Amino acid sequence: PSPLGGVLALAQRARKPMQKSDTPNLAPSRRSAIRSFKVMDVVAKADRLARAGREIYHLEVGQPQSSAPQPAIRVAQEQLAADRCGYTSARGEPPLRQAIADMYLREYGVTVSTDRIHLTPGSSGAFTIAFMAAFDVGDAVAVPAVCYPCYRNLLQCYGVEVISLPVDAKYNVTAAVLAAGQHDRAAAGLPAIKGLILSSPANPTGAILTPEELKALCEHCDRTGVQFISDELYHKIVFEGAPRAACALEYSSSPIIINGFSKAYSMTGWRLGWLIAPDHLDSCVDALNQNMNVSAPTVSQRAAVAALGEEAASELAQHVKRYEDNRAVVVSGLQRMGVQTHEYAPPQGAFYLYADLGRLGVADSLGMCDALLQDAGVAVTPGVDFEEEGSGVGERRVRLSFPGTTEHVAEAMRRLVEWWESEAGLRWRGGA
């Protein structure tokens, strides 16, 4: 038989649909039984509708619609043309680690050793390493009751007991809130809280801890043996009148710091984040990064040096000004819907607004967001993505993300308000 005949036979078999495995005892692991990342489910459906010809307006995903800074793009083009861009060391290339260290000194007055900076494939890669380095199966780790969903999902996957701490009136977890949670667990005879992770500015609320609040939280964690993981991904996206977004390293050398280039630098698909490890975790973080990631994308590392430079700074500052304008558009739209100021978190930074629509009759945010996307072509994230499962709180809340152009956000809000007031919208708020 000719070689071509064999290839054709393989191609014929490849066209057949995959059959369900009948091999006994093959099943997903118990650790993989975690909730999906709901916003990505919304993104997937929005993409399917767009491919079918629908016009879709995005208020769901936390992804800037602007491109990476022009200096970074130029460097990437030059490197792709001139270099093979092979593996780097797991920690990352020295010029970028030095540029990051320089940024900490310039922005926060903190001296960071380049030896403690670990480059990762996105900040998501840093989370997985931090969780594995700091916590064992069965440890109790606290998160804010309303938080980035992947904290809970990944910690659960690693066999950690996830503890939800209530947020205060400003949607923050403070030292007092953590102390109350520790007291309650001790009184109930439960194991002590081993870790805490939170973001400031926060996803999905945009809330920011004041420098004084962050200082008190760092000091309390140090006193009580809690490993603090400070997610600082939205630093540099802070609006006028908001508190300064302080870095946890200003107050302690013990926290794990996680940051990256996705949000403030508009480099989501470049997949580049970093982790600053405290002394007691540095070697194991390096070993985990070597084994899990080998190295972060080389071309992204080289471009990121330019993204941290002076030429890119003015371009990036204009993005933040646009986000602030967009926030005003979203707030205005919510007011037309009847949402009152106390019914959404104070959006002081990031590019999100988290609104509670329960008073207006919303009791199924997942279904409502699905109907809104299908009917009006507006993608919004249901609050169930950010709240503890079974709490009943996420069912009445939604997150609106506004990192796009102001024109795009304005049209999205116009369509949302129009749908909200229509018969279809009324059905999702109990006919109110």
Side-chain angles (χ1 to χ4, degrees), residues 226-243:
V226 173
Q227 178 62 66
F228 180 31
I229 301 178
S230 184
D231 176 359
E232 301 180 357
L233 188 61
Y234 294 94
H235 277 215
K236 296 183 179 291
I237 307 178
V238 176
F239 303 136
E240 187 175 349

Side-chain angles (χ1 to χ4, degrees), residues 16-53:
K16 294 180 181 179
M18 289 183 64
Q19 300 297 312
K20 185 176 180 180
S21 173
D22 57 0
T23 304
N25 303 321
L26 291 183
S29 67
R30 288 190 297 275
R31 74 169 64 243
S32 68
I34 59 175
R35 290 199 292 175
S36 65
F37 193 3
K38 301 300 181 189
V39 66
M40 299 313 295
D41 292 342
V42 177
V43 169
K45 181 169 183 179
D47 183 61
R48 289 195 300 272
L49 291 173
R51 290 176 184 276

Side-chain angles (χ1 to χ4, degrees), residues 33-261:
I34 59 175
R35 290 199 292 175
S36 65
F37 193 3
K38 301 300 181 189
V39 66
M40 299 313 295
D41 292 342
V42 177
V43 169
K45 181 169 183 179
D47 183 61
R48 289 195 300 272
L49 291 173
R51 290 176 184 276
R54 291 284 302 278
E55 190 171 23
I56 302 299
Y57 286 83
H58 296 276
L59 296 176
E60 85 284 25
V61 69
Q63 173 167 260
Q65 290 187 11
S66 50
S67 68
Q70 289 304 308
I73 292 173
R74 288 198 300 271
V75 169
Q77 291 170 333
E78 292 165 2
Q79 289 297 314
L80 288 170
D83 190 83
R84 65 187 181 90
C85 296
Y87 292 140
T88 72
S89 71
R91 289 178 187 267
E93 292 196 323
L96 177 54
R97 288 189 285 132
Q98 185 61 59
I100 291 172
D102 292 345
M103 183 271 289
Y104 277 91
L105 184 60
R106 182 174 66 249
E107 300 287 338
Y108 307 107
V110 172
T111 299
V112 176
S113 169
T114 57
D115 291 338
R116 295 291 179 264
I117 298 171
H118 302 257
L119 279 299
T120 59
S123 60
S124 298
F127 289 134
T128 59
I129 290 172
F131 294 165
M132 295 188 76
F135 309 125
D136 287 314
V137 171
D139 283 346
V141 177
V143 300
V146 51
C147 68
Y148 178 57
C150 296
Y151 298 162
R152 281 196 186 90
N153 296 346
L154 288 173
L155 287 168
Q156 178 187 333
C157 184
Y158 296 144
V160 168
E161 180 189 1
V162 182
I163 309 300
S164 289
L165 296 177
V167 294
D168 65 12
K170 297 187 297 180
Y171 285 79
N172 285 319
V173 166
T174 62
V177 171
L178 175 59
Q182 291 170 311
H183 176 271
D184 290 347
R185 286 185 66 82
L190 297 172
I193 291 174
K194 175 77 175 290
L196 168 70
I197 178 168
L198 56 77
S199 58
S200 175
N203 177 10
T205 64
I208 301 177
L209 288 164
T210 67
E212 296 76 19
E213 289 170 330
L214 181 61
K215 181 176 186 289
L217 188 61
C218 289
E219 291 174 347
H220 183 78
C221 286
D222 284 349
R223 279 196 307 271
T224 58
V226 173
Q227 178 62 66
F228 180 31
I229 301 178
S230 184
D231 176 359
E232 301 180 357
L233 188 61
Y234 294 94
H235 277 215
K236 296 183 179 291
I237 307 178
V238 176
F239 303 136
E240 187 175 349
R244 178 177 71 88
C247 175
L249 291 178
E250 295 177 46
Y251 311 115
S252 173
S253 60
S254 300
I256 299 170
I257 306 298
I258 291 177
N259 206 327
F261 290 89

Side-chain angles (χ1 to χ4, degrees), residues 324-341 344 347 353 400 402 409-410 413-414 416-417 420-421:
E324 193 158 6
D325 292 342
N326 293 352
R327 179 185 62 166
V329 171
V330 172
V331 168
S332 175
L334 288 176
Q335 289 173 344
R336 296 198 301 276
M337 291 166 56
V339 180
Q340 299 175 6
T341 54
Y344 56 83
L353 193 147
L400 296 93
F402 48 86
V409 173
M413 291 306 297
R414 185 195 69 77
L416 170 54
V417 173
W420 179 259
E421 295 173 345

